[in-house]
Amino acid sequence: MKLAAVAVGDDWAIGAVEPAGDSIRVAPAEYGTVDDVVRGLIGVPLVREWLRDVEPQPLSSVALGAPLQRFNRDILCTGWNYVDHFYESAGKREGQDPDALPAHPTFFTKGPDTVIGPYDPIAYDAELSRQWDYEAELAIVIGRDGRSIPAERAHQHVFGYLVANDVSQRDLQRAHGGQWLKGKSIDATMPLGPWITTADEIPDPAGLRITCEVNGVVLQAATVGQMAFDIPRLIEELSRGMTLRAGDVLLTGTPSGIGNAREPQVFLSDGDQVVTRVSKLGSLRNQVSRTRLTS
């Protein structure tokens, strides 16, 4: 099932995108939100029952927001999870290179105010940063609480998958002692969506293909199977001694092709069109838009 957040007045209703991806059935807003479904307050079978007799409408006729609107905590993220991406940036981290490829996943967080919808503008303020970089990623939504989850049971805690772009400000990322939070947490810069595809529809996420286009040029392309640490390993290591909660979002890393590592470098600027795709999960289409963030 593909669950979307549909704007209905000031509320967000549950939408279910039809298999062909061009139409959607929308439940009454008073029935609840996608956040409620992810947290188990509303069962997926009940949503199917509600929508069985609802007439589909063109997907283009509704406004979609980020599928999740309530967050338990910061967005959880994984760095350096594609080997080629780790090595493409060697010597370009302004003295912050690690000695070798890490033996364990590298985790960090970014603030939830970064999240925007699948077609919303990406905020851009040149006074804040001159190095706005794109990072196409597969994101996971946790659907069941758990701590110290073994890899072989990790799939039991995944509600579904969606697309993200971890837009980053590289100069801010380097400027704060090597800690990534600041350069990853600028408001209204991380598109998420376009919907959550439930895990039962994606039995083998390793085959999913990730791409990022800027102004029609493909700059990133890889499969999830190229990850250094697969999804079960990420969940096992992240949850060790740390409870993951239903509704948590985990970004799984970006492949090579980032703007900071290119020669010459390629950074986003006002008016750029960014398309982020993951096969079977849909596309994000966002325009970089000048926004005053420094006052």
Side-chain angles (χ1 to χ4, degrees):
M1 196 171 194
K2 301 180 187 301
L3 294 168
V6 180
V8 178
D10 294 330
D11 297 318
W12 294 103
I14 301 169
V17 179
E18 297 287 274
D22 57 359
S23 59
I24 188 170
R25 299 173 191 260
V26 182
E30 60 266 25
Y31 283 20
T33 66
V34 176
D35 294 89
D36 297 325
V37 181
V38 168
R39 288 169 173 79
L41 301 177
I42 301 171
V44 170
L46 182 57
V47 175
R48 294 185 194 276
E49 182 179 331
W50 286 345
L51 296 176
R52 185 180 301 124
D53 297 323
V54 172
E55 190 69 23
Q57 57 186 299
L59 188 59
S60 59
S61 70
V62 302
L64 300 185
L68 298 175
Q69 299 289 322
R70 305 195 308 268
F71 297 92
N72 303 321
R73 63 173 108 209
D74 276 6
I75 309 302
L76 304 167
C77 305
T78 313
W80 299 332
N81 200 27
Y82 289 79
V83 175
D84 52 356
H85 167 54
F86 176 82
Y87 286 115
E88 73 172 343
S89 296
K92 301 174 182 177
R93 300 185 177 102
E94 299 181 24
Q96 295 178 2
D97 281 290
D99 293 333
L101 185 69
H104 298 272
T106 299
F107 296 117
F108 62 96
T109 69
K110 59 191 297 157
D113 287 334
T114 59
V115 176
I116 59 175
Y119 314 122
D120 292 342
I122 297 170
Y124 171 82
D125 187 340
E127 290 190 25
L128 181 65
S129 168
R130 295 285 182 175
Q131 298 182 343
W132 298 67
D133 208 345
Y134 50 86
E135 293 191 37
E137 306 206 16
L138 169 70
I140 298 169
V141 180
I142 299 298
R144 176 181 170 188
D145 294 0
R147 183 179 65 206
S148 299
I149 303 164
E152 61 269 20
R153 294 210 302 269
H155 67 280
Q156 299 174 7
H157 295 262
V158 176
F159 179 86
Y161 304 94
L162 65 171
V163 189
N165 197 313
D166 179 23
V167 174
S168 305
Q169 294 69 43
R170 299 300 181 191
D171 42 5
L172 296 183
Q173 186 177 346
R174 311 294 181 218
H176 294 272
Q179 298 296 317
W180 297 355
L181 175 68
K182 180 64 178 179
K184 298 282 191 174
S185 292
I186 301 305
D187 289 353
T189 54
M190 191 188 84
L192 186 68
W195 40 74
I196 301 172
T197 301
T198 53
D200 60 292
E201 292 198 6
I202 310 294
D204 182 18
L208 298 177
R209 183 167 178 81
I210 301 172
T211 61
C212 183
E213 297 177 12
V214 178
N215 299 327
V217 179
V218 177
L219 298 178
Q220 291 183 287
T223 62
V224 171
Q226 293 173 250
M227 285 181 179
F229 304 103
D230 64 13
I231 291 168
R233 175 81 180 274
L234 294 179
I235 291 174
E236 179 179 63
E237 294 229 14
L238 183 60
S239 71
R240 189 176 184 193
M242 170 183 161
T243 301
L244 298 182
R245 300 288 184 189
D248 284 345
V249 176
L250 170 62
L251 273 59
T252 59
T254 199
S256 64
I258 63 167
N260 188 71
R262 289 180 172 271
E263 296 181 3
Q265 292 177 317
V266 176
F267 292 119
L268 300 175
S269 60
D270 184 40
D272 283 347
Q273 303 287 334
V274 183
V275 180
T276 314
R277 294 189 178 93
V278 178
S279 59
K280 301 184 180 181
L281 303 185
S283 302
L284 311 173
R285 297 177 180 273
N286 309 90
Q287 178 172 310
V288 179
S289 180
R290 191 181 306 277
T291 305
R292 188 71 172 172
L293 295 169
T294 49
S295 65

